[in-house]
Amino acid sequence: MSDTGLKTQEFRLNGNQLKQMADRCPMQTQKPMFTIREGRREDCQQIALLLPELAAYQRQSPDQVVGHKQLEVDGFGDPTDIQFRTFVAHLDDNDKQLIGLALYYPKYAASTARGVWMEHLYVKQEYRGTGVEVALMARVAKQAITTACTRFEWD
């Protein structure tokens, strides 16, 4: 059990499963409603607005999430000290209106070498079930393959 009282389970994809997930990454959605792209420094204010929603969804205190300035430092500051990477989903007609995010970082294990850990996957409630979640996960999987990772994990 997590500290929120929710049961958590860790998931792993091996190399073949990782490729299958990455193959689901559309270059463009069937119904052009949203776009998945790498997060940018200028997204930090919008990301910071999504994080309290994520915390509330996870039954955690929304007051305990980092702010946009910390996100800028940790994700887009000194290139030698990047703590996370992110993909964001935005509406096609408004790239300033984020509707979801996947926050991930590299991970290493002596037994399997390179990997990716997806710390957060969040999509605003009104856009759930539209394919945004799968597209974000697939984009992280595709990035893992591009960077020669052999596994993709999340919980």
Side-chain angles (χ1 to χ4, degrees), residues 18-27 134-135 138-139 142:
L18 182 59
K19 175 141 178 32
Q20 289 172 353
M21 174 63 85
D23 288 344
R24 291 184 180 177
C25 182
M27 296 315 282
V134 172
R139 190 60 188 91
K142 192 172 197 85

Side-chain angles (χ1 to χ4, degrees), residues 82-98:
I82 298 296
Q83 298 299 308
F84 70 88
R85 302 219 181 273
T86 186
F87 286 103
V88 296
H90 66 79
L91 298 174
D92 280 345
D93 61 349
N94 185 355
D95 72 344
K96 303 280 189 246
Q97 179 62 46
L98 300 186

Side-chain angles (χ1 to χ4, degrees), residues 84-143:
F84 70 88
R85 302 219 181 273
T86 186
F87 286 103
V88 296
H90 66 79
L91 298 174
D92 280 345
D93 61 349
N94 185 355
D95 72 344
K96 303 280 189 246
Q97 179 62 46
L98 300 186
I99 60 172
L101 67 89
L103 191 144
Y104 67 98
Y105 51 86
K107 185 176 176 180
Y108 194 88
S111 59
T112 56
R114 294 177 185 218
V116 166
W117 179 264
M118 185 170 61
E119 184 68 23
H120 298 300
L121 174 66
Y122 181 73
V123 174
K124 290 174 95 46
Q125 185 172 355
E126 60 267 32
Y127 298 101
R128 293 179 193 157
T130 63
V132 177
E133 306 93 331
V134 172
L136 282 164
M137 282 188 76
R139 190 60 188 91
V140 175
K142 192 172 197 85
Q143 180 66 21

Side-chain angles (χ1 to χ4, degrees), residues 2-55:
S2 71
D3 58 346
T4 63
L6 296 175
K7 185 176 181 182
T8 61
Q9 182 177 0
E10 186 173 298
F11 298 91
R12 292 188 176 138
L13 297 178
N14 65 28
N16 289 335
Q17 293 166 323
L18 182 59
K19 175 141 178 32
Q20 289 172 353
M21 174 63 85
D23 288 344
R24 291 184 180 177
C25 182
M27 296 315 282
Q28 185 141 358
T29 59
Q30 300 289 1
K31 298 176 185 175
M33 179 181 129
F34 63 88
T35 299
I36 306 295
R37 63 169 169 76
E38 285 189 57
R40 303 185 288 236
R41 178 183 291 272
E42 57 267 23
D43 295 324
C44 288
Q45 286 189 327
Q46 281 287 310
I47 292 171
L49 294 174
L50 292 175
L51 293 180
E53 293 177 28
L54 170 64

